[in-house]
């Protein structure tokens, strides 16, 4: 076993790992030792995800895919004075520390036994030093895409014995607009220089991985992951970002790999009543939608847009996926291609009592201000 879980009896002690390289017969090299920098600490007790793990004890069968989407709260945002005093004043300071949250997060993700995990707000150092090695031990391979101008980005993990990685098609929304692929949208946007400038300033990215089933090579899948612009009045910017994203996904899933199914995960910073959600769900947005004036008349940019996919929110529209002191709402989704995939089960979200035990999120028993979405999908 590559995973060791200390018992309560080991609290207060340090761990020592001793390795002796050898071929199992007669040749052995010198032993090497490494000691943990700190002692084993007691865990937080009951966590918000413990009851969810009861539904995900085993990896799901060959014809099924367990997908997770989760904004894990970047350390670069959790460790500011503003976060401690204004955003999360209810959270014990030690529970905002990176090491504490990382241990909680690794425990949470390992217990989901997922085949696909799409994460947002992943610090580069957290991916390299913590998540990639930890999830590797559970059979998951990780891919990372950093945001321009920032220290955090997107990560997609896939189960190695279920999928092989065929190709990667990441893009930054600001860069994508100068790609001939998006010329039509760019021409429309050029009529609104103020809005275009705002879109180009944003550092949001889109991560697209094409995976192939290891047991049935005819089954390929396009896994997209994104984190859209966050500002409450940025509905118009999000509409443009999602239009670029869907156009880019169309290029991969319709042109490069004709008619492969799509799973599109992310933090869309959009509630079910928003234009962005409506656009993804219905396949189009009218030029008179109120979100085109989300930031006032000066930034109005009326466009009629459409996309060819039949997408469905696999986990429905929960009451909230983000729960902080001043706000709660549904911002995260796993959209699936309803022509090719169907939902087998949705893992229930934590109860309202669990979420609010320590007032709001993050807390000593939950590592992020968002809640992971988890569902089992099967091929039609």
């Amino acid at each position: 076993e590559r995973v060791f879980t200390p018992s309560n009896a080991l609290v207060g002690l340090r761990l020592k790992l001793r390795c002796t390289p050898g071929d199992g017969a007669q040749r052995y090299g010198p032993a090497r030792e490494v000691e943990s920098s700190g002692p084993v600490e007691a865990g937080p007790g009951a966590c918000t995800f413990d009851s969810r793990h009861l539904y995900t004890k085993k990896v799901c069968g060959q014809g099924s895919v367990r997908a997770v989407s989760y904004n894990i709260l970047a350390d670069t945002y959790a460790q500011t004075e503003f976060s401690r005093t204004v955003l999360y004043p209810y959270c014990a300071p030690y529970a905002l520390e990176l090491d504490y949250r990382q241990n909680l997060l690794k425990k949470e993700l390992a217990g989901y036994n997922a085949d696909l995990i799409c994460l947002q707000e992943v610090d580069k150092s957290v991916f390299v030093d913590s998540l990639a090695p930890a999830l590797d031990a559970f059979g998951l391979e990780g891919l990372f895409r950093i945001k321009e101008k920032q220290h955090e980005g997107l990560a997609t993990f896939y189960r190695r014995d279920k999928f092989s990685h065929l190709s990667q098609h990441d893009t930054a929304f600001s860069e994508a607009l100068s790609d001939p692929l998006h010329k039509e949208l760019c021409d429309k946007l050029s009529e609104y220089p103020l809005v275009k400038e705002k879109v180009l300033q944003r550092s949001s990215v889109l991560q697209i991985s094409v995976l192939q089933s290891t047991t049935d090579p005819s089954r390929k899948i396009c896994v997209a992951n994104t984190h859209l612009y966050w500002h409450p009045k940025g509905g118009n910017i999000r509409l443009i970002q999602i239009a670029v994203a869907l156009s880019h996904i169309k290029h991969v899933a319709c042109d490069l790999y004709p008619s492969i199914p799509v799973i599109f995960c992310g933090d869309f910073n959009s509630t079910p009543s928003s234009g962005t959600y409506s656009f993804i769900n219905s396949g189009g947005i009218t030029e008179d939608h109120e979100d085109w004036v989300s930031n006032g008349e000066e930034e109005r940019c009326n466009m009629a847009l459409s996309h060819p996919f039949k997408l469905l929110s696999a986990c429905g529209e929960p009451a909230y996926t983000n729960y902080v002191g001043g706000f709660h709402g549904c911002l995260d989704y796993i959209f699936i291609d309803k022509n090719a995939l169907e939902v087998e089960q949705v893992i229930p979200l934590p109860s309202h009592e669990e979420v609010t035990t320590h007032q709001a999120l993050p807390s000593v028993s939950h590592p992020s201000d968002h809640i992971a979405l988890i569902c089992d999908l099967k091929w039609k």
Side-chain angles (χ1 to χ4, degrees):
E1 290 294 314
R2 288 177 57 188
V3 180
F4 172 70
T5 307
S7 64
N8 287 339
L10 301 183
V11 170
L13 302 176
R14 299 231 294 246
L15 296 180
K16 182 192 280 184
L17 175 68
R18 182 183 169 95
C19 290
T20 308
D23 62 3
Q26 62 268 46
R27 295 179 64 227
Y28 290 94
R32 287 282 182 272
E33 288 182 353
V34 63
E35 214 169 276
S36 64
S37 53
V40 173
E41 295 175 39
C47 293
T48 49
F49 45 82
D50 291 343
S51 55
R52 308 185 85 192
H53 284 170
L54 300 174
Y55 296 87
T56 60
K57 283 185 171 175
K58 293 192 177 101
V59 176
C60 55
Q62 276 306 342
S64 303
V65 177
R66 179 168 301 139
V68 173
S69 185
Y70 196 4
N71 177 330
I72 62 171
L73 178 56
D75 184 53
T76 191
Y77 307 138
Q79 287 293 320
T80 63
E81 191 56 32
F82 183 69
S83 295
R84 284 190 284 266
T85 56
V86 180
L87 289 182
Y88 318 121
Y90 47 82
C91 183
Y94 75 88
L96 281 174
E97 294 286 335
L98 181 60
D99 281 355
Y100 183 90
R101 291 197 307 115
Q102 278 309 298
N103 284 324
L104 217 49
L105 184 66
K106 287 185 281 195
K107 182 180 186 220
E108 177 176 8
L109 291 175
Y112 291 147
N113 285 304
D115 301 309
L116 293 173
I117 302 178
C118 289
L119 304 177
Q120 303 84 41
E121 285 199 27
V122 184
D123 300 273
K124 187 176 184 188
S125 59
V126 165
F127 177 82
V128 173
D129 302 330
S130 179
L131 287 177
L135 292 175
D136 176 67
F138 291 96
L140 294 157
E141 188 75 33
L143 303 153
F144 182 71
R145 169 65 199 232
I146 199 151
K147 274 188 193 170
E148 312 304 314
K149 303 181 256 186
Q150 254 138 11
H151 300 290
E152 52 97 359
L154 306 170
T156 297
F157 291 87
Y158 62 92
R159 185 165 295 284
R160 273 188 299 262
D161 61 7
K162 269 196 177 176
F163 294 107
S164 57
H165 180 247
L166 288 185
S167 57
Q168 203 62 22
H169 308 271
D170 303 349
T171 190
F173 293 126
S174 55
E175 284 169 21
L177 279 169
S178 57
D179 188 319
L181 196 62
H182 307 293
K183 185 179 183 311
E184 192 186 336
L185 180 63
C186 192
D187 288 348
K188 282 183 182 177
L189 192 55
S190 295
E191 294 174 34
Y192 308 99
L194 255 180
V195 180
K196 185 175 182 180
E197 188 48 40
K198 257 196 158 167
V199 173
L200 293 175
Q201 284 169 1
R202 305 272 64 83
S203 57
S204 316
V205 291
L206 171 72
Q207 185 182 39
I208 299 183
S209 318
V210 177
L211 306 174
Q212 181 175 39
S213 164
T214 50
T215 52
D216 180 356
S218 69
R219 279 184 177 167
K220 298 179 182 71
I221 198 154
C222 173
V223 181
N225 181 17
T226 198
H227 185 186
L228 301 185
Y229 180 46
W230 62 273
H231 200 283
K233 290 182 177 174
N236 57 343
I237 307 297
R238 284 188 286 278
L239 274 172
I240 292 157
Q241 288 184 335
I242 202 67
V244 175
L246 290 162
S247 172
H248 205 73
I249 294 168
K250 174 180 173 251
H251 174 61
V252 177
C254 300
D255 304 342
L256 302 180
Y257 297 90
S259 65
I260 66 168
V262 171
I263 297 178
F264 190 8
C265 300
D267 175 354
F268 294 81
N269 273 312
S270 306
T271 61
S273 62
S274 68
T276 296
Y277 182 84
S278 169
F279 177 35
I280 298 169
N281 222 22
S282 68
I285 189 98
T286 56
E287 59 184 37
D288 58 354
H289 194 282
E290 61 184 10
D291 276 16
W292 289 124
V293 280
S294 62
N295 202 24
E297 280 298 327
E298 211 177 67
E299 280 189 26
R300 177 191 281 277
C301 54
N302 300 86
M303 297 183 226
L305 301 170
S306 64
H307 69 82
F309 300 107
K310 294 276 184 283
L311 296 172
L312 163 86
S313 171
C315 300
E317 299 169 7
Y320 51 79
T321 59
N322 174 236
Y323 199 104
V324 291
F327 171 84
H328 61 271
C330 179
L331 303 177
D332 307 81
Y333 307 93
I334 298 174
F335 290 106
I336 62 165
D337 198 326
K338 60 183 177 190
N339 290 337
L341 299 164
E342 60 185 329
V343 181
E344 223 170 16
Q345 71 162 344
V346 175
I347 308 308
L349 272 73
S351 68
H352 188 65
E353 290 84 64
E354 288 171 309
V355 171
T356 55
T357 299
H358 303 281
Q359 194 175 328
L361 305 178
S363 70
V364 293
S365 61
H366 193 87
S368 174
D369 53 346
H370 286 251
I371 299 165
L373 291 175
I374 314 147
C375 58
D376 290 357
L377 308 168
K378 66 177 178 187
W379 306 79
K380 277 192 172 176

